[in-house]
Amino acid sequence: MSNVQVAVVTGSNKGIGLAIVRALCKQFPGDVYLTSRDPGRGQAAVTQLQQEGLRPLFHQLDIDDLQSIRALRDFLKEKYGGLNVLVNNAGIAFKVHDTTPFAVQAEVTLKTNFFATRNVCTELLPLVKPYGRVVNVSSMVSFSALKGCSQELQQKFRSDTITEDELVQLMTKFVEDTKKGVHEKEGWPNTAYGVSKIGVTVLSRIQARLLNEQRRGDHILLNACCPGWVRTDMAGPKATKSPEEGAETPVYLALLPSSADAPHGQFVSDKTVKPW
Ligand code: NAP
């Protein structure tokens, strides 16, 4: 088994994920895994970074596929005995003018952004080694969507005692409410992406709390973040940040020094903790 440190970035064949891998290849003292659901797109991205003189490694990962997550888990366990840095970056968003029915958008968006990200965490968090760093890429949109929720929902999402099961129930209810056409009546905002990212931010707060309760001596730091508005296929060419600029906050959180005991369980934007 290798003693080398290891970092994994989900959805890193393009966009912010690729920029995170590029930065980690330069700054992280260990192996960096570029992952992609499509091996062809993944290998092309690896080749691109190799041409820049960098040495990322590759592993297939489709976060929507539990078998794929478990194959990566088993590989990391066997080769490295765990992992040191996990960046949950993979995500999707329907375009604003997409005419797909809202209920379908809700189901598809929540499936990847919330439920699949949670599955990655369920399988990989137990492998994270002492002083490990976990970064869940959420969005400022989670905050604006939170403000668009009913007072009752806001209170639940801000609660310091909400459990993962309760969060899963709420995310499931959102999808069901969109199918019944009652989501606004039930206090939800009109944004599937926003609700999915509320899920990612709240999940991060819960996971950090569980780490405090169950693995306090391991000094693991876990946070959610917003990369900013970044020029990628998701956000388009008018966005204000380059992918490299978008990678700055996730990389800062991934490389928090071993002497740091904060931030932890926070929502971080522009390397600054924001109120939730
Ligand atoms: P992007 O250019 O569309 O890249 C998304 C990446 O996620 C791609 O590599 C994509 O792979 C991958 N992905 C999607 N579904 C996946 C799955 N099931 N399994 C594995 N990988 C999957 O988007 P981006 O702008 O870089 O976004 C990265 C993250 O930042 C997302 O979580 C997004 O919500 C968040 N974010 C972005 C912005 C922004 O302004 N861009 C702002 C706030 C937050 P394929 O190439 O195979 O599709």
Side-chain angles (χ1 to χ4, degrees), residues 60-129:
Q60 192 272 349
L61 176 65
D62 180 347
I63 69 167
D64 288 341
D65 176 359
L66 201 50
Q67 274 192 333
S68 169
I69 299 173
R70 288 182 173 158
L72 175 64
R73 176 201 65 188
D74 293 345
F75 168 80
L76 291 168
K77 215 190 260 184
E78 194 175 323
K79 178 148 190 210
Y80 298 94
L83 85 162
N84 304 90
V85 168
L86 171 63
V87 183
N88 281 306
N89 165 80
I92 60 160
F94 283 82
K95 300 288 178 210
V96 179
H97 298 296
D98 195 304
T99 53
T100 305
F102 188 66
V104 177
Q105 294 199 19
E107 180 153 45
V108 171
T109 307
L110 272 278
K111 180 183 171 197
T112 297
N113 293 3
F114 176 72
F115 291 103
T117 299
R118 173 174 179 257
N119 286 341
V120 173
C121 291
T122 304
E123 299 299 331
L124 296 191
L125 284 191
L127 264 64
V128 175
K129 294 184 179 182

Side-chain angles (χ1 to χ4, degrees), residues 140-273:
M140 284 305 282
V141 174
S142 69
F143 191 62
S144 47
L146 178 70
K147 285 191 282 188
C149 288
S150 65
Q151 285 305 319
E152 191 189 338
L153 280 173
Q154 286 191 40
Q155 209 172 20
K156 288 181 180 165
F157 289 131
R158 289 199 172 103
S159 157
D160 289 327
T161 53
I162 184 173
T163 65
E164 201 168 316
D165 282 348
E166 286 165 347
L167 177 62
V168 166
Q169 277 170 29
L170 283 168
M171 293 291 116
T172 305
K173 182 174 185 308
F174 169 69
V175 175
E176 284 168 1
D177 286 348
T178 63
K179 285 183 187 165
K180 292 186 227 149
V182 298
H183 66 282
E184 283 177 293
K185 196 173 123 270
E186 291 294 309
W188 296 102
N190 218 9
T191 158
Y193 180 77
V195 171
S196 77
K197 292 299 190 180
I198 290 177
V200 173
T201 303
V202 176
L203 181 66
S204 308
R205 288 160 56 87
I206 295 168
Q207 288 167 340
R209 208 176 69 216
L210 290 177
L211 285 169
N212 289 344
E213 289 166 15
Q214 296 163 5
R215 297 186 61 185
R216 185 169 271 289
D218 284 347
H219 306 279
I220 295 166
L221 298 178
L222 181 154
N223 291 286
C225 71
C226 178
W229 190 31
V230 185
R231 290 186 293 278
T232 63
D233 287 349
M234 182 181 287
K238 289 188 187 150
T240 47
K241 286 188 180 183
S242 67
E244 280 59 46
E245 289 167 331
E248 279 177 21
T249 293
V251 170
Y252 152 75
L253 292 171
L255 297 179
L256 285 168
S258 56
S259 56
D261 57 7
H264 177 58
Q266 302 292 342
F267 179 70
V268 180
S269 174
D270 285 328
K271 300 186 192 172
T272 308
V273 171

